[in-house]
Amino acid sequence: MSGEFRFSFGPWNIHEGHDPFGPAVRDSIAFNRKLGLYRQLGFGAVQFHDDDAVPNLNDLSPAQIAKEARGVARALKRHGLAAEFVAPRLWEDPRTIDGGYTSNDARCRKYAIERSLRCIDIAQELGTDLIVLWLAREGTYIREAKDSRVATQRILEAVNTMLAYNSKIRIAIEAKPNEPMDHTYIPTTGHALALGQASVDPARVGANIESAHAILAGLDPSDEMGFALAFDKLWTVHLNDQNGLKFDQDKTFGSVDLRRAFNQVRILDIHGYGRGGEWVGLDVKAMRTQKKPAVAHLSNSREIFLRLLEISRSLSDARLKAFIAARDYEGLDLYIMQSLLGK
Ligand code: XLS
Ligand code: MG
């Protein structure tokens, strides 16, 4: 079985270049102009935060939110694009300073749940059943601030509330071990899937795996993907790259460790990723030094993915099997390296 690959990204991946130490360096590109770039760059679907689709949704009634979202659905149609998923942005509002679902303030937890339900409404209007949960601030700066058992149960309750609110949606949890928090609850795919199994409807909880997040947890992204694939739980991916254990860099896919990227492409391809309608999301950030419109990191990531796919598919099955049967992993190693080097 081989994969079928179509590509997506989020509007946040075309970015003004601000970082924690300096302001924007490029003009903003309006959302509608960004939509016009997707096809040109080789992409067919948009990943959304709830407020990418409906800015200021906190100030709108559910009916107004639905109306705005229908306008976005029409714009997608005009551009020939699909909506892949919608994710509640639970890390910017003052009410989520101490986390959303795990906040120590009951009013803030209530806000986080309400916001998540509006996110589901938006997904419904955009024609997707997939909700991504990146649990950005569900964690602590100091351990004594929250009780990890209680926090885990609160995240589970939130997931259950969302599943009960709409019987069609599926939730892909995006694990990350740190940043913005010192320690995040649900730091790995294993945690995410265990939580899903404990939910009221395990069949509707899966994973979004981001390469950089796995690396930050000290794990290999392709093995994380294999783990989720073993349970048919890999519902989307955020491919990118990452230089060691530091802040989340969202570098161009394959630009740090080509072999690590190759193995992600390979595990996806071998197990038919995409045949169930899954998209390949590229969660990559342009360098701050790049002049506008700064979109090459997207098309470059896609190109690197496709080139690695070609290399993976060009490997001789017989040779791979022979190396494995002879337990000649030195030979296998060199064969892979030569293939990556274009020899
Ligand atoms: C974090 C993200 C984030 C989610 C969606 O890595 O890119 O935006 O994927 O909430
Ligand atoms: Mg991501």
Side-chain angles (χ1 to χ4, degrees):
M1 186 145 82
S2 55
E4 277 175 10
F5 299 113
R6 303 172 305 165
F7 298 86
S8 62
F9 69 86
W12 65 88
N13 295 113
I14 300 177
H15 178 258
E16 295 81 357
H18 45 78
D19 68 15
F21 305 98
V25 290
R26 296 181 286 262
D27 297 339
S28 300
I29 296 182
F31 175 70
N32 273 308
R33 262 202 67 213
K34 287 184 184 175
L35 287 189
L37 295 167
Y38 272 75
R39 286 273 163 207
Q40 285 174 36
L41 294 167
F43 290 77
V46 182
Q47 305 185 328
F48 284 94
H49 291 122
D50 48 8
D51 58 1
D52 292 323
V54 183
N56 306 322
L57 74 154
N58 283 342
D59 306 328
L60 304 176
S61 69
Q64 289 169 317
I65 291 172
K67 186 167 173 246
E68 293 269 324
R70 280 195 290 276
V72 177
R74 282 194 295 275
L76 288 176
K77 207 164 174 202
R78 275 199 300 279
H79 289 278
L81 297 170
E84 186 198 354
F85 68 65
V86 188
R89 199 194 295 272
L90 292 175
W91 54 91
E92 287 187 355
D93 192 90
R95 284 164 287 190
T96 57
I97 283 176
D98 193 25
Y101 312 137
T102 65
S103 170
N104 281 324
D105 182 330
R107 280 167 309 180
C108 295
R109 293 200 298 275
K110 187 162 178 270
Y111 162 77
I113 302 269
E114 292 289 323
R115 172 92 181 216
S116 306
L117 302 185
R118 296 294 79 77
C119 170
I120 294 172
D121 295 343
I122 292 170
Q124 178 142 337
E125 297 298 343
L126 296 183
T128 177
D129 66 351
L130 192 60
I131 303 296
V132 162
L133 274 192
W134 174 44
L135 301 165
R137 295 195 191 275
E138 313 301 353
T140 56
Y141 301 112
I142 57 164
R143 282 234 160 65
E144 299 80 5
K146 291 179 188 171
D147 175 325
S148 52
R149 183 177 195 269
V150 172
T152 304
Q153 287 168 336
R154 283 182 172 157
I155 296 171
L156 180 58
E157 265 170 48
V159 165
N160 284 341
T161 305
M162 294 169 76
L163 292 170
Y165 177 70
N166 182 317
S167 61
K168 297 277 182 303
I169 56 137
R170 297 175 299 139
I171 299 176
I173 298 177
E174 181 178 341
K176 183 178 180 185
N178 63 291
E179 200 207 19
M181 307 310 294
D182 189 18
H183 296 282
T184 312
Y185 301 126
I186 320 299
T188 70
T189 306
H191 291 80
L193 296 189
L195 190 100
Q197 285 308 111
S199 74
V200 291
D201 195 351
R204 290 196 288 136
V205 185
N208 174 17
I209 296 183
E210 172 156 333
S211 323
H213 297 183
I215 296 162
L216 287 169
L219 299 170
D220 179 81
S222 71
D223 284 350
E224 283 283 271
M225 289 172 191
F227 178 79
L229 286 165
F231 307 111
D232 295 324
K233 290 295 191 188
L234 189 57
W235 296 346
T236 184
V237 289
H238 263 174
L239 301 187
N240 53 27
D241 214 345
Q242 170 74 24
N243 230 330
L245 299 181
K246 45 182 95 170
F247 62 94
D248 186 356
Q249 298 181 304
D250 294 343
K251 288 173 85 78
T252 291
F253 182 57
S255 66
V256 176
D257 187 333
L258 205 52
R259 189 170 185 175
R260 188 168 59 194
F262 164 79
N263 280 304
Q264 292 170 67
V265 173
R266 190 161 167 79
I267 195 90
L268 294 175
D269 190 38
I270 288 175
H271 296 291
Y273 183 87
R275 284 180 179 264
E278 303 87 357
W279 293 84
V280 177
L282 291 163
D283 194 12
V284 288
K285 194 176 269 169
M287 290 178 235
R288 191 163 187 263
T289 42
Q290 195 66 10
K291 293 176 186 157
K292 67 174 186 183
V295 290
H297 59 304
L298 291 158
S299 45
N300 293 353
S301 292
R302 177 179 175 277
E303 192 179 319
I304 291 164
F305 181 100
L306 292 172
R307 182 72 191 100
L308 290 172
L309 181 64
E310 242 177 72
I311 294 172
S312 177
R313 288 183 177 175
S314 72
L315 295 178
S316 151
D317 254 353
R319 286 194 70 186
L320 291 170
K321 282 198 182 112
F323 284 126
I324 291 167
R327 219 177 62 206
D328 181 7
Y329 301 151
E330 296 289 359
L332 178 59
D333 196 32
L334 186 66
Y335 180 44
I336 299 296
M337 289 307 292
Q338 282 176 332
S339 307
L340 287 172
L341 290 166
K343 218 180 141 199

